[in-house]
């Protein structure tokens, strides 16, 4: 499990929980929609500065993000590793 | 506070707690000593792959790292933000 996957999942979950679009968060954070989308999917490594801007756009601080990442990792670990297809389908 | 600063501090603390040198951990992780040193000082952004390799070299998993990062951040926050010079001097 790579950190950018976990962080991407946290950011996507936080954005969806707030009912925000990729565009809204990307604009508030000053990044492109494409870049944010790649970050959320764990495909691009966000710089710490981009991460801070996205967190700010979501009203999260770094402790919130780390706590969410621990949660994602703990709750993901077994289903993700053993049944990746169904785990992602359930999470989508 | 940027994530790479917090992660760098965690990695340095873990390495020192284990009595390991930069060279030992860098060699075990397959990265250069210079790069690891920059990562530990929060000056370079480690890729998630490098981070995973360094964690493995230190016997940490990602949950350990996130937990340590939360600890660093919680215990750093006030002194770091109000008195950065002395906080770093004390931590050094």
């Amino acid at each position: 499990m790579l950190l950018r996957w976990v962080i991407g999942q946290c950011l996507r979950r936080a954005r969806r929980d707030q009912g925000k679009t990729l565009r809204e968060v990307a604009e508030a954070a000053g990044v492109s929609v494409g870049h944010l989308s790649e970050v959320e999917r764990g495909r691009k490594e966000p710089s710490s500065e981009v991460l801070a801007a996205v967190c700010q756009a979501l009203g999260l601080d770094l402790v919130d993000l780390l706590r969410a990442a621990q949660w994602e990792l703990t709750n993901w670990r077994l289903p993700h590793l053993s049944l990746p297809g169904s785990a992602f389908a359930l999470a989508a």
Side-chain angles (χ1 to χ4, degrees), chain A residues 6-17:
Chain A
V6 182
I7 283 180
Q9 179 71 4
C10 291
L11 296 177
R12 184 169 59 175
R13 189 185 299 280
R15 178 177 61 76
R16 289 180 172 175
D17 284 351

Side-chain angles (χ1 to χ4, degrees), chain A residues 5 8-9 11-12 15 22 35-42:
Chain A
W5 299 343
Q9 179 71 4
L11 296 177
R12 184 169 59 175
R15 178 177 61 76
L22 270 173
H35 186 60
L36 181 59
S37 172
E38 293 282 78
V39 166
E40 283 194 0
R41 285 181 289 163

Side-chain angles (χ1 to χ4, degrees), chain A residues 11-64:
Chain A
L11 296 177
R12 184 169 59 175
R13 189 185 299 280
R15 178 177 61 76
R16 289 180 172 175
D17 284 351
Q18 295 178 27
K20 291 181 177 167
T21 64
L22 270 173
R23 181 167 303 280
E24 286 169 331
V25 174
E27 282 179 3
V31 302
S32 73
V33 173
H35 186 60
L36 181 59
S37 172
E38 293 282 78
V39 166
E40 283 194 0
R41 285 181 289 163
R43 294 186 184 174
K44 283 272 170 67
E45 200 82 59
S47 69
S48 293
E49 285 81 0
V50 163
L51 196 57
V54 174
C55 281
Q56 188 169 18
L58 291 166
L60 301 174
D61 67 20
L62 202 47
V63 171
D64 297 327

Side-chain angles (χ1 to χ4, degrees), chain A residues 45-87:
Chain A
E45 200 82 59
S47 69
S48 293
E49 285 81 0
V50 163
L51 196 57
V54 174
C55 281
Q56 188 169 18
L58 291 166
L60 301 174
D61 67 20
L62 202 47
V63 171
D64 297 327
L65 180 72
L66 293 171
R67 195 173 294 124
Q70 260 188 268
W71 187 90
E72 289 291 345
L73 203 53
T74 308
N75 288 277
W76 252 14
R77 183 175 289 178
L78 291 174
H80 173 66
L81 293 181
S82 57
L83 294 166
S86 52

